Amino acid sequence: MVPAVIEYREISKSFGGIRVLDGIDLTINDGEVTYIIGTSGVGKSVLVKHAVGLLKPDSGRILIDGDDVTDYSEAQWRPVRTRYVLVFQHSTLFDSMTLRENVALPLRKHGGLSRHESYRKARDFLEMVQMADKGDKMPADVGPPERKRVSIARALTLAPECAILDEPTTGLDIIASANVDRMIDHLARVLNKTVIVVSHDLRSIFGVADRIIFLYKGRVRLDGPPEAFRSSDDPVVKQFIRGEPTGPMEM
Ligand SMILES: Nc1ncnc2c1ncn2[C@@H]1O[C@H](COP(=O)(O)OP(=O)(O)OP(=O)(O)O)[C@@H](O)[C@H]1O
Ligand SMILES: [Mg+2]
């Protein structure tokens, strides 16, 4: 049996009286690439933020590696967040530092490397996202897709067991998103990491996912391998694949 890493048990979460998550039961398995999908505003980012303690459920429990983390304090969450890293939907690089420095900083802060070593190692991480030749540039000198790749490289410096990528290919052209897909594949198949990807990108989903979780109206509507998703008879799933609106807008 595959050991479970993140378990959501009957998780509900509302904002301003609107129930975004409505009793989510879900187990993310170790070593798998799990895609979380669903229309804009359905609660994908809210769901993954619960896995790193940035949001707390109104009800339900969250377990990580079998430990109930639901009532963890900030201090208890901190070490968890080096093993389970969330790369946010929007870039959070430091604007005043070069791309290399952005990646080198956590290597010194958490990895205890010297300045010289941290720069050398940062180059390897930038290489992984095809950004090694741009280490001297400032975040403002490159486009959003490149900033996204550097954010991913920075997250990986912590050597997390689980990388959670919120919309890693949104706004990227087809070549840049193929590079991100390759990186996700490498993380899972070569480095044996657990990867959770929030995405709208069907091409990426069908190319890389082991498992797809489709959220709809606060619940898990479909949970299975890409084949099950593609061949589903569920009209809501079919509508999503065709790119038609299925989201809370029509509620
Ligand atoms: N901190 C918050 N405070 C209040 N409402 C919030 C908060 N975070 C999320 N929401 C609301 O919860 C709902 C789900 O948001 P979420 O960001 O998870 O959507 P999403 O599925 O990630 O959408 P997208 O694909 O556009 O990123 C939205 O209605 C959003 O406005
Ligand atoms: Mg989101």
Side-chain angles (χ1 to χ4, degrees):
M1 206 189 101
V2 191
V5 289
I6 303 171
E7 284 178 70
Y8 292 86
R9 293 193 183 160
E10 281 291 312
I11 295 297
S12 292
K13 180 73 177 175
S14 301
F15 293 105
I18 295 171
R19 193 174 271 228
V20 175
L21 303 181
D22 185 17
I24 299 272
D25 261 318
L26 186 62
T27 301
I28 306 286
N29 298 316
D30 185 39
E32 283 187 357
V33 179
T34 303
Y35 270 68
I36 313 263
I37 65 173
T39 44
S40 187
V42 77
K44 303 180 296 298
S45 295
V46 166
L47 184 72
V48 293
K49 282 178 184 165
H50 278 82
V52 292
L54 295 175
L55 288 173
K56 283 198 187 298
D58 299 333
S59 62
R61 313 300 301 174
I62 297 189
L63 280 77
I64 290 188
D65 296 339
D67 296 328
D68 189 329
V69 297
T70 320
D71 299 317
Y72 266 20
S73 65
E74 263 307 292
Q76 287 174 300
W77 270 110
R78 229 165 279 137
V80 178
R81 290 188 195 129
T82 63
R83 295 187 295 122
Y84 291 77
V85 297
L86 170 61
V87 178
F88 288 95
Q89 192 162 359
H90 303 289
S91 159
T92 51
L93 297 177
F94 293 108
D95 291 337
S96 57
M97 294 177 187
T98 64
L99 298 176
R100 180 185 302 104
E101 183 61 24
N102 264 285
V103 176
L105 190 66
L107 286 165
R108 293 203 295 279
K109 212 165 127 191
H110 301 284
L113 298 187
S114 69
R115 182 167 292 269
H116 176 72
E117 285 169 335
S118 73
Y119 283 161
R120 201 177 45 76
K121 210 67 210 263
R123 199 192 146 78
D124 295 343
F125 281 100
L126 287 169
E127 189 91 61
M128 203 189 283
V129 292
Q130 284 95 32
M131 288 293 290
D133 54 332
K134 299 203 173 138
D136 291 330
K137 294 202 180 293
M138 303 301 281
D141 296 335
V142 299
E146 291 174 306
R147 285 201 287 275
K148 185 84 117 262
R149 273 149 65 191
V150 175
S151 303
I152 295 171
R154 182 179 59 177
L156 298 180
T157 61
L158 299 170
E161 287 152 33
C162 174
I164 306 169
L165 312 176
D166 195 346
E167 307 272 4
T169 59
T170 303
L172 269 62
D173 66 30
I174 199 149
I175 294 172
S177 36
N179 282 336
V180 170
D181 290 351
R182 245 200 312 272
M183 194 197 65
I184 292 169
D185 210 55
H186 181 81
L187 283 175
R189 321 292 170 213
V190 181
L191 304 176
N192 295 313
K193 309 285 186 193
T194 303
V195 189
I196 300 171
V197 188
V198 173
S199 184
H200 285 107
D201 184 345
L202 287 175
R203 195 194 44 76
S204 164
I205 293 164
F206 289 130
V208 197
D210 291 314
R211 177 181 176 199
I212 293 175
I213 312 281
F214 177 54
L215 297 183
Y216 181 71
K217 296 190 177 176
R219 304 189 71 92
V220 175
R221 179 80 179 207
L222 185 145
D223 176 352
E227 307 80 72
F229 185 67
R230 213 194 301 249
S231 62
S232 171
D233 290 332
D234 183 338
V236 175
V237 174
K238 290 169 102 163
Q239 218 179 342
F240 181 84
I241 293 177
R242 286 199 302 267
E244 293 164 12
T246 56
M249 277 56 151
E250 65 187 12
M251 282 166 75

